[in-house]
Amino acid sequence: MTSSDLWSRAEAERYDTEETVMTSAAVLGPTVDFLAELAGDGRALEFAIGTGRVGVPLRERGVPVVGVEFSEHMAAVLRRKVDAETLPVVIGDMATTTVPGAFSLVYLVYNTISNLLTQDEQVECFRNAARHLAPGGRFVIELGVPPLRSLPPGGTAVPFDVSEGHLGFDTFDLVGQILVSHHLTRDGADGRYRRDASRHRYAWPAELDLMARIAGLEPERRVADWDGSPFTEDSPKHISVWRRPA
């Protein structure tokens, strides 16, 4: 069993509505362009495909996509958008679940590898990606850089969103490399707020490179965003690409 938190039916039903920025053309356009170029004429496998935010438009671009998803409720929302013949989805965790065939691209977006809460599971995720890749295929991860420089001396919390309808902040266990994202979201016209929290294991880019090496993958590219902008010490996230040797 994976250590990942399991998305509930209620969370799955409101996911697309609350992730309006991430489902916008401004975000999805460069994301799909980047992934489609790497997939080429081959197939793509998305770990933690969720509601199909990325997988569905990538399939519409003409790339054959298969998904792995831990939450049946998230997969049910995806299924309303596209049928199983067009975009197959296997229910299971991204560290151990396998699907038939080889892929030119395996990818994880929007911090989803951090849903695996132990280093061992994250290493197994890399190994699982490698076993699905054809020679020369790529594994891609989108992941935030831990914002530890923002922590005040002795502090354990960092805000990441303060807006009219939402307050979000992360708290950190610096020994266990666990962060908890806390959300207070305005829910309804009466002004009440809904409180949610999710657990994540953060990892530095260099740690991911070591995981890739353990899995037999070679680093190929690291950029700051899907538009290919350079990754620097001030980048809040990275898109990293590793390649299975031909």
Side-chain angles (χ1 to χ4, degrees):
M1 281 293 292
T2 177
S3 60
S4 299
D5 294 336
L6 186 62
W7 288 75
S8 68
R9 184 188 301 276
E11 290 168 330
E13 291 294 336
R14 62 176 179 254
Y15 181 82
D16 288 343
T17 301
E18 293 189 346
E19 292 290 348
T20 53
V21 172
M22 298 304 294
T23 57
S24 67
V27 171
L28 285 178
T31 305
V32 172
D33 288 344
F34 192 105
L35 295 173
E37 181 179 356
L38 289 180
D41 296 328
R43 299 193 303 159
L45 174 62
E46 181 173 355
F47 287 164
I49 194 170
T51 65
R53 179 184 67 89
V54 173
V56 171
L58 184 61
R59 181 65 186 89
E60 291 171 347
R61 179 68 66 87
V63 177
V65 177
V66 178
V68 171
E69 174 53 43
F70 190 46
S71 168
E72 294 185 10
H73 301 303
M74 296 288 275
V77 175
L78 179 151
R79 191 54 66 222
R80 298 173 198 160
K81 305 173 183 178
V82 62
D83 61 59
E85 182 177 354
T86 303
L87 202 167
V89 175
V90 177
I91 301 299
D93 71 271
M94 57 185 140
T96 63
T97 302
T98 59
V99 301
F103 296 82
S104 62
L105 175 67
V106 179
Y107 66 95
L108 273 166
V109 296
Y110 203 17
N111 303 320
T112 45
I113 194 170
S114 70
N115 293 346
L116 299 171
L117 300 180
T118 69
Q119 186 183 69
D120 285 345
E121 286 180 327
Q122 291 180 353
V123 169
E124 287 306 311
C125 182
F126 271 82
R127 285 176 167 155
N128 199 25
R131 70 172 58 100
H132 284 93
L133 286 172
R138 275 93 169 191
F139 183 36
V140 177
I141 285 180
E142 175 187 22
L143 186 62
V145 176
L148 300 188
R149 290 192 301 175
S150 300
L151 282 174
T156 60
V158 174
F160 59 85
D161 182 38
V162 180
S163 57
E164 182 177 353
H166 178 256
L167 170 64
F169 61 95
D170 292 331
T171 56
F172 292 85
D173 170 0
L174 300 179
V175 175
Q177 284 186 221
I178 298 294
L179 71 83
V180 180
S181 288
H182 303 266
H183 302 267
L184 292 172
T185 307
R186 190 183 297 274
D187 191 12
D190 58 2
R192 290 184 299 174
Y193 280 78
R194 183 184 71 252
R195 181 174 181 176
D196 301 292
S198 59
R199 298 178 299 156
H200 307 269
R201 181 185 187 272
Y202 64 84
W204 300 96
E207 185 181 2
L208 299 182
D209 286 340
L210 183 56
M211 293 181 190
R213 182 184 301 179
I214 292 170
L217 303 176
E218 300 174 345
E220 182 175 83
R221 186 183 183 195
R222 175 166 290 132
V223 293
D225 210 338
W226 297 106
D227 60 6
S229 52
F231 179 73
T232 72
E233 63 181 15
D234 296 317
S235 298
K237 73 172 186 179
H238 60 98
I239 314 297
S240 294
V241 182
W242 299 273
R243 184 173 181 267
R244 179 181 171 184

